[in-house]
Amino acid sequence: MKTLAPGSTIGILGGGQLGRMLSVAAAQLGYRCHIYAPNADSVAAEVSAEFTCAEDDDVASLTRFAEACDVLTFEFENVPVDPLHQIEDCAPLHPPIAALDIAQNRVAEKNFARDHGGTTAPFAEVTDRDGLDKAIAEIGAPAILKTIRMGYDGKGQSRIRPGEDLDQHWEAVAQQPCVAEGFVTFDHEFSVILVRARDGEIRFWDTPHNIHVDGILSVSSAPAPTEILAQQDDARALAAKMAEAMDYVGVLTCEFFATQDGPVFNEMAPRVHNSGHWTIEGAVTSQFENHIRAICGLPLGDTGLAAAKVEMHNLIGAQADDWQNLLSDGANHLHLYGKGESRPGRKMGHVTKLYF
């Protein structure tokens, strides 16, 4: 595939805030973005050149969309895979479908990490109610039950405490195929965010320290504490191996727990990631711009920090209503995603602050 010149059209599957920020980054480089999403109220479409509103499995609409684009990417890892195979010849797709296949199945994802030398939490696949009994007998409690497919930001999960009735947890995940994970004792959570170019070059951003509240990312900051930095090389090595094995192009994020025994792989996101939003102002080149550079075949940008310290706070639900006070601090960089209704647990925006 040749390098795409400015003026080319980038097709983005998904219409949320990640697609919005990708579109802004692409526009700054002179590209046009075409959003494909099933919801008419797409915040990404608001800042893009074109918009196709159609279902993810509408192959005819997907084909017309793909044929109108020079390269395709996605901002959401739960895009149905089967229809994508039917448009493979229409335009190049980065990252590859294989990355979606792995990320959409928590069992496959954990086995993939293990196959490349990573350590995961103890886990067991659960396909029926009897299997849940066997899984908990094997890995013990406390544990967390997660649907194998779908689910993010704490959705599709149920925490199991010792001695609890397992029926309620099986109902909580709607009796769907699941993975039961043993709890990991950890000191910190962190993510490795890399970008891989079409020629195989890999660059890493500074490793952010992540703090979650109620299963949703609340704060990401860099540089990370020394306990995380001591495990950074091993975590980066695993993420790079996984990217190379998938022949990955674009931004890849892998989440880890920092434990007394080294980094424990949690999950991967084959896309730009919430824990990298700080890179818009906090890095020389943001994750969004470097994703566009990678999929278009451009040279990668510098991923170094743009300040001594960077801190990003998610604005969840009504927190975004405090925009005026946030802007009263001239050092704050406020990003609101244009979502109309601020519901509890909904990511409405983020604010980033740089410390020099």
Side-chain angles (χ1 to χ4, degrees):
M1 175 184 169
K2 64 181 181 180
T3 298
L4 290 183
S8 301
T9 298
I10 299 169
I12 300 176
L13 293 153
Q17 65 263 23
L18 299 180
R20 182 185 181 97
M21 289 181 270
L22 281 169
S23 294
V24 170
Q28 290 175 331
L29 292 172
Y31 294 97
R32 304 172 74 256
C33 283
H34 186 161
I35 301 297
Y36 186 102
N39 300 319
D41 58 345
S42 163
V43 297
E46 291 177 353
V47 299
S48 299
E50 295 182 65
F51 178 37
T52 295
C53 183
E55 295 301 320
D56 291 328
D57 58 357
D58 182 343
V59 175
S61 294
L62 272 171
T63 300
R64 287 192 294 272
F65 159 74
E67 288 176 341
C69 299
D70 297 295
V71 67
L72 304 176
T73 191
F74 46 86
E75 57 109 54
F76 182 56
E77 65 264 43
N78 287 321
V79 175
V81 166
D82 289 343
L84 296 183
H85 285 294
Q86 300 187 55
I87 62 170
E88 282 183 290
D89 295 333
C90 297
L93 174 64
H94 301 301
I97 293 176
L100 286 174
D101 266 328
I102 294 165
Q104 288 179 5
N105 184 313
R106 286 193 167 97
V107 173
E109 181 182 53
K110 292 178 185 302
N111 284 328
F112 186 67
R114 286 185 172 184
D115 289 345
H116 291 88
T119 299
T120 71
F123 71 92
E125 187 173 358
V126 177
T127 56
D128 54 33
R129 177 62 184 81
D130 288 341
L132 179 56
D133 287 330
K134 294 175 183 175
I136 298 305
E138 177 185 338
I139 66 174
I144 186 163
L145 191 63
K146 300 179 180 179
T147 55
I148 287 178
R149 295 187 178 274
M150 305 296 286
Y152 56 94
D153 289 343
K155 301 178 180 70
Q157 302 183 9
S158 188
R159 293 196 172 203
I160 300 173
R161 294 170 179 80
E164 286 186 334
D165 178 9
L166 296 182
D167 286 339
Q168 63 177 324
H169 296 288
W170 187 235
E171 293 301 322
V173 295
Q175 303 181 16
Q176 297 181 74
C178 289
V179 58
E181 295 180 9
F183 266 39
V184 174
T185 300
F186 60 90
D187 301 312
H188 300 288
E189 296 177 81
F190 68 96
S191 48
V192 168
I193 310 170
L194 66 81
V195 60
R196 187 172 185 269
R198 289 189 343 214
D199 65 3
E201 179 188 2
I202 290 177
R203 295 190 182 188
F204 296 93
W205 281 270
D206 275 63
T207 299
H209 173 212
N210 301 325
I211 297 173
H212 290 77
V213 176
D214 297 329
I216 302 174
L217 181 65
S218 177
V219 180
S220 287
S221 59
T226 55
E227 296 90 343
I228 290 175
L229 296 179
Q231 302 186 16
Q232 176 177 267
D233 287 351
D234 288 342
R236 284 181 170 182
L238 173 62
K241 285 180 185 177
M242 292 168 66
E244 288 163 353
M246 293 183 285
D247 196 18
Y248 196 93
V249 174
V251 170
L252 172 68
T253 306
C254 294
E255 296 184 71
F256 290 88
F257 301 115
T259 77
Q260 295 298 311
D261 298 318
V264 172
F265 173 86
N266 182 29
E267 62 185 22
M268 78 174 196
R271 53 170 171 80
V272 289
H273 194 258
N274 194 180
S275 67
H277 287 359
W278 60 269
T279 64
I280 296 173
E281 292 85 20
V284 177
T285 310
S286 77
Q287 63 168 347
F288 301 100
E289 179 177 334
N290 258 342
H291 186 81
I292 298 299
R293 287 180 179 231
I295 67 173
C296 292
L298 302 176
L300 297 179
D302 187 343
T303 54
L305 281 178
K309 179 184 176 183
V310 183
E311 192 168 273
M312 185 278 296
H313 291 257
N314 267 335
L315 300 175
I316 309 297
Q319 291 176 348
D321 297 338
D322 199 32
W323 53 267
Q324 193 161 12
N325 284 332
L326 290 168
L327 288 173
S328 68
D329 183 343
N332 281 342
H333 296 274
L334 177 64
H335 297 258
L336 296 178
Y337 303 148
K339 298 179 180 179
E341 183 184 358
S342 59
R343 299 191 300 267
R346 191 181 196 193
K347 294 174 181 175
M348 302 297 294
H350 70 269
V351 61
T352 301
K353 193 165 186 175
L354 279 60
Y355 299 85
F356 294 93

